[in-house]
Structure formats: C-alpha cells, structure tokens
Amino acid sequence: MILITGAGGAVGSALLDELRAAGRPARAGYHTASKAERARAAGQEAVALDLGDPASLPPALRGVDEVFLLGAMSPHQTRHELTMVEAAAAAGVRRVVKLSVWRADEELTPIARLHRPVERALESSGLAYTFLRPNFYMQNFTRQMAASIRADGEFAQLAAKAPISFVDVRDVARCAAGMFAGDSSESGVHDGRTYALTGPAALTYDQAAAVLSDELGRTIRYIGMSDDEARRMLLDRGLPEFHADSLVEVGRAYRDGGADTVLPTVRDLTGRHPTGFGEFVRDHKDAFG
C-alpha cells in the first residue's frame, strides 16, 4: 500500500492517476475530511491527513509500505514533514519518496531550505528513501499567468534573462509512479537515489511568450517586473507574505542562471520524452483562452 500525501494537489492527483492506471494500491491523503469523503464516494481509498496533527498520522499509515511525501508550502512545512518521517518510521513503513525542489542540497532559496532538513532526516532515519527534485513547473503558467494571458495577452513575472528548463507536472508524476515499482525485481533500485527533473529544453520568459503566441495564434507578451513589483503582485493575488517573499527570492536566485540545466532524467525514468512547452500549451489551450 502506498500513501500519497498532498493527494489534492497537482502532483499528488496526477500521481494517483498514474498509480491507478498501473493497478497499484494507493491511499490518498487529503487535508480535510470532506475531501476524503468525496474521494471515498468516488471509489478511492482515502483518508483525512493533516501533517500538522500528529494524531492523524498513525491511522493513515496503518498497513502502508511506502509513502509519497509532499507537504504544503508554509513556514511550518519542514516541521510537518519531519513529523511524517518520524510517524512513518514508527509505523514500520519501508520507504519514503520525497518530492523536493530543484537544487535543494545547496539551500539557495527559502523553499530549498524548507526541504533540505527533511532530506537530511530521511538520510539518517534508517528508512529507504528517494528524492525527486523538479525544476520550475510548466503548470505555473496555467495557475498563475493564464488569467492575464486570456484577458490582456501578456503575463508578468520577476525580471529575468536566464532560461529555465520548465518541467510538466505530469512528467513529475510519471517519474514518481516509477519509484513504486510493482515488480519485486525492481525493489530497491531507487533507494538512496536523488533525481533532478527537467523538461526537454530551457526557455527564457521571452521565448515562452513566443511559444504561447505561436500556439495560441495571437501575440503574447512577457513583462519583466522589479522585485518590489513582483512582491506586490503576489500579495494582490492573495498570497501570504511568506509565500510572496519566498517566490521573489527564488526568482532572484535564478534570474541570471542556475535553472537552465537540461537533463535526460525524465526519459531515463519513464522511457518517454518529457513534455515540451509547446505541447503543454496545446494541451491546456482552454486555460489560456
């Protein structure tokens, strides 16, 4: 049995789809009882799971062999994920696959500094573990930029000149699903491994705008913002200060390079080429209008 934390999020829900298609037993962990109830009504095995509530973890871990660990980003994320690591070890879980972040080991950004202590704890926990470190998600365009692309034919982001090897969440989920190999001959092949995940090419935001223009058949412009402008925009969207400040710091860390590496990891793990940005846009045309 595989417990999927963060089952309601983009990666968690896509991973559940992959595991179900492969016929693997999975228990979906949702943050609220109402979401778990709806999932059970739809035929899923599901539990309410709050990483901030240690008492909710033992029931969710009952009979579980492996855990996909994905905590919600917050100032408490590290503590919450460490609580799960401790609970998993106590429950006799064999292995944890942790969704981490690009270059987490270097702790260059506030988000990396949330993840790396959990990685270190897993390394010394006695549990088998695997780390997945994806680069920026292509889905950031649909979640954060699609409204302005639809309405105004433009999107604004922190000013940056360097390209980024954006990766599709669906490819991240396919890689994660492959970590839970059903064939016993594959057991342990990913233990102790770290996989950095990228798309097939690195694009600047200007180049991304050109791809959007080509695929949507109209001109889409990229507007580069100052750090202060970007922070105000994120706060205006309703993000908490912690999230806004962290995202600005991530953009600042990679504005001149460092997120442009293109790796073959997705193809190596899944046997298929990673999704290109043009294909991503075609698949999500309805979101962009």
Side-chain angles (χ1 to χ4, degrees):
M1 176 58 68
I2 304 161
L3 174 64
I4 309 299
T5 66
V11 176
S13 59
L15 173 56
L16 281 171
D17 289 342
E18 292 290 329
L19 292 173
R20 279 196 291 268
R24 297 302 316 282
R27 180 178 299 158
Y30 293 96
H31 188 68
T32 64
S34 60
K35 289 183 179 179
E37 289 169 4
R38 285 196 295 272
R40 286 193 292 270
Q44 293 184 26
E45 177 162 348
V47 293
L49 174 65
D50 182 354
L51 297 183
D53 177 12
S56 74
L57 304 187
L61 287 163
R62 193 171 295 121
V64 167
D65 304 298
E66 299 175 288
V67 172
F68 180 72
L69 179 54
L70 166 57
M73 180 181 162
S74 79
H76 312 295
Q77 180 178 350
T78 302
R79 176 169 55 82
H80 290 174
E81 292 195 11
L82 289 173
T83 300
M84 173 55 91
V85 172
E86 294 168 2
V93 168
R94 185 184 73 80
R95 183 159 165 270
V96 173
V97 176
K98 170 167 169 51
L99 186 68
S100 187
V101 70
W102 184 252
R103 296 175 65 177
D105 54 321
E106 300 172 61
E107 301 187 69
L108 298 176
T109 68
I111 299 176
R113 292 190 288 273
L114 291 172
H115 286 276
R116 183 56 188 153
V118 185
E119 292 185 346
R120 286 196 295 266
L122 281 165
E123 289 166 349
S124 61
S125 68
L127 295 166
Y129 65 86
T130 308
F131 303 147
L132 300 178
R133 295 178 180 161
N135 206 347
F136 291 59
Y137 293 148
M138 291 181 185
Q139 277 71 9
N140 291 343
F141 284 86
T142 49
R143 291 184 299 183
Q144 301 171 12
M145 309 176 211
S148 62
I149 290 172
R150 286 195 307 270
D152 305 313
E154 62 188 30
F155 64 92
Q157 287 291 296
L158 195 71
K161 298 179 181 178
I164 297 169
S165 52
F166 298 100
V167 63
D168 193 317
V169 160
R170 295 171 297 180
D171 288 325
V172 176
R174 291 180 188 114
C175 291
M179 300 298 99
F180 303 106
D183 184 345
S184 61
S185 67
E186 295 293 321
S187 179
V189 69
H190 300 295
D191 291 355
R193 302 291 299 274
T194 297
Y195 297 108
L197 307 177
T198 77
L203 302 174
T204 66
Y205 281 117
D206 280 322
Q207 289 170 327
V211 172
L212 284 160
S213 299
D214 289 343
E215 297 293 344
L216 299 178
R218 54 194 173 89
T219 300
I220 307 298
R221 297 186 306 124
Y222 157 61
I223 300 172
M225 297 181 293
S226 70
D227 294 1
D228 288 342
E229 289 171 335
R231 185 177 186 275
R232 283 196 298 273
M233 179 190 71
L234 293 168
L235 292 173
D236 288 344
R237 288 179 182 169
L239 268 67
E241 286 192 8
F242 173 81
H243 289 67
D245 291 341
S246 296
L247 292 174
V248 169
E249 184 61 30
V250 170
R252 185 183 297 125
Y254 296 124
R255 73 191 334 157
D256 296 317
D260 52 349
T261 303
V262 175
L263 299 170
T265 319
V266 169
R267 184 179 69 248
D268 293 345
L269 292 176
T270 67
R272 56 186 288 173
H273 290 289
T275 305
F277 188 65
E279 180 182 354
F280 169 80
V281 175
R282 289 193 294 276
D283 288 346
H284 295 82
K285 272 192 174 181
D286 289 348
F288 296 114

